[in-house]
Amino acid sequence: MEPADSMKVIPIPQLSDNYAYLIIDTATDKAGIVDCAEPAPILAVVDSEGVELTSILPTHHHFDHVGGNDEMLKARPGLTVYGFDDRVPGITDRVDEGSLVSVGELKARVMSIPAHTTGHIAYYFENEAAVFTGDTLFAGGCGRLFEGDAAMMIKSLGKLRDLPNETQVYFGHEYTENNLRFASTLEPNNQSLTEKRAWAAGQIQDGKFTTPTTIASEKETNPFFRWESEELRNTLSAQFSDLPMDDVSVFAKTRALKDSF
Ligand code: ZN
Ligand code: FE
């Protein structure tokens, strides 16, 4: 399913493998930017699209997601900067779980999804079936547990997994090929995963992005959405005979293996 006509989303590469996303409300030509590390390429797209940038929607406080906020505010004074975590520079409008934020006439609901950082949030545009997940959910992967544990992350990812299948997922880093290579070590017989790996390799070879993915695709291919998978559990128990097979233990072991992959 393509995003609704009311919204246009343009991925903008940042730094070495980050994505910022320009969200355009096509009814008003107002725009918001999800994460901002390098303002120059963002402003180039804003200008070429002929839209008015009105807001920054930061996902979490890490430098590669908010390091450009101050410079952006100097270039475009008066921007609304949404934020939940005090460590995000330039916050003008404080938000929390369930808060509504606006890009023109488009509305997103803030979802609190901690564990990569305690203050990590997602922006869910229900009417447009799109969610911006920062470093919590990637295509084929999830963020490292810097400020939370496996139990916290499983809860955060569970909230995202409960979104409608057709929801487009716009993630924070182009890690897809590596993520899916790791996923294949746990589920070598997962046909959807094998197909997605081939597709992702083709996209990268062609100089294209692998963003967005969908909730449905992640349910089929992402080991961090698949702690219930029989094949994944069998792979883990064959290697770690003492591993308890509850959800959190399975997830924690998967995350630990990825950390050293
Ligand atoms: Zn991060
Ligand atoms: Fe990051």
Side-chain angles (χ1 to χ4, degrees), residues 18 60 64-65 135 173:
N18 276 81
H60 66 296
D64 56 317
H65 300 263
D135 285 0
H173 286 269

Side-chain angles (χ1 to χ4, degrees), residues 135-145 150 153-161 175 178-180 182-187 190 193 217-229 232 236 247-261:
D135 285 0
T136 297
L137 174 63
F138 302 124
C142 76
R144 287 179 188 256
L145 304 176
M153 186 55 116
I154 227 176
K155 203 173 154 209
S156 294
L157 289 172
K159 283 164 84 169
L160 295 171
R161 200 175 69 164
Y175 292 158
N178 182 264
N179 285 342
L180 295 177
F182 170 73
S184 287
T185 65
L186 298 175
E187 295 192 287
N190 179 337
L193 172 54
S217 175
E218 294 315 298
K219 282 180 179 171
E220 290 179 357
T221 60
N222 189 331
F224 300 100
F225 260 20
R226 293 177 57 75
W227 54 83
E228 287 122 345
S229 154
L232 182 144
L236 291 179
D247 292 350
V248 172
S249 301
V250 167
F251 184 94
K253 178 56 80 176
T254 305
R255 185 59 258 179
L257 288 170
K258 180 66 169 63
D259 286 346
S260 58
F261 180 68

